[in-house]
Amino acid sequence: MTKLVTAALALALTVTVAGCSPAADPAGTTGTGGAGVSSGASVPSDPMSSGTVPDDGSSATAGVTSGASSTPVPVDQSTPETAMSSWLGAMVAGDGETVCALMAAKGRAIPSIPGAAKACGTSIAPTLEQIKQLGAVFTGLTIDGATVTGDAATFERATAVPPIAATVVKNFKAVRIGGKWYVTQG
């Protein structure tokens, strides 16, 4: 049963990320370099209790919606693990606005690409409705041990609570853009 849920969630997340990626401008890139580092992070055990923080750092909620009924989730982009935890929390909460705000494609943050955030929110709405049903599986989500090299991070060796999250996140990467971490497809 766990393998089936993991496979279904990984597939849904991959489709979601792919649905947002075509809107990206291929001109943007991000640098990498530096030594590998590991760090850990967690999100509150109730990831659906607080507002989101848009890319510009203000406390207002951005204007993209998924079309799904959702509750905004807390966002922390200070480390790859917290960005990934925030992203997964937004997924299972059905918060398309936050999901898109935490993503990057082709080296650019989705919110910085004209029209991409709206297209992303629209394209993932049906998938988020299905993923919301798995929300209880991710209660108490924590991710630890991303491998960071410069402005890029992988989750291949990361651990997570619940363990199913580690299986899902190993297929994704994170990239640091403007001092914030964003989830990207591996």
Side-chain angles (χ1 to χ4, degrees):
M1 176 71 174
T2 300
K3 287 183 181 183
L4 180 60
V5 170
T6 301
L9 184 57
L11 177 61
L13 293 175
T14 301
V15 167
T16 299
V17 172
C20 295
S21 295
D25 178 345
T29 60
T30 185
T32 59
V37 211
S38 291
S39 61
S42 65
V43 293
S45 61
D46 180 10
M48 299 172 212
S49 64
S50 169
T52 61
V53 178
D55 191 45
D56 66 4
S58 68
S59 60
T61 302
V64 178
T65 59
S66 68
S69 173
S70 66
T71 303
V73 298
V75 172
D76 182 350
Q77 292 176 268
S78 61
T79 68
E81 293 93 347
T82 59
M84 179 61 78
S85 294
S86 297
W87 187 71
L88 283 174
M91 282 281 196
V92 298
D95 184 355
E97 176 179 330
T98 302
V99 170
C100 295
L102 289 167
M103 293 175 60
K106 299 182 183 179
R108 294 183 63 192
I110 294 292
S112 74
I113 303 168
K118 183 175 182 178
C120 174
T122 301
S123 71
I124 68 172
T127 304
L128 291 181
E129 277 302 311
Q130 294 173 344
I131 291 174
K132 279 176 67 171
Q133 298 173 19
L134 300 174
V137 174
F138 288 91
T139 301
L141 176 66
T142 61
I143 298 172
D144 188 33
T147 302
V148 179
T149 305
D151 290 334
T154 63
F155 297 92
E156 293 167 349
R157 294 189 180 114
T159 59
V161 174
I164 190 172
T167 306
V168 173
V169 302
K170 74 178 182 178
N171 297 305
F172 294 92
K173 295 182 181 183
V175 61
R176 184 172 30 211
I177 302 169
K180 294 181 179 181
W181 287 95
Y182 295 87
V183 175
T184 189
Q185 197 165 10

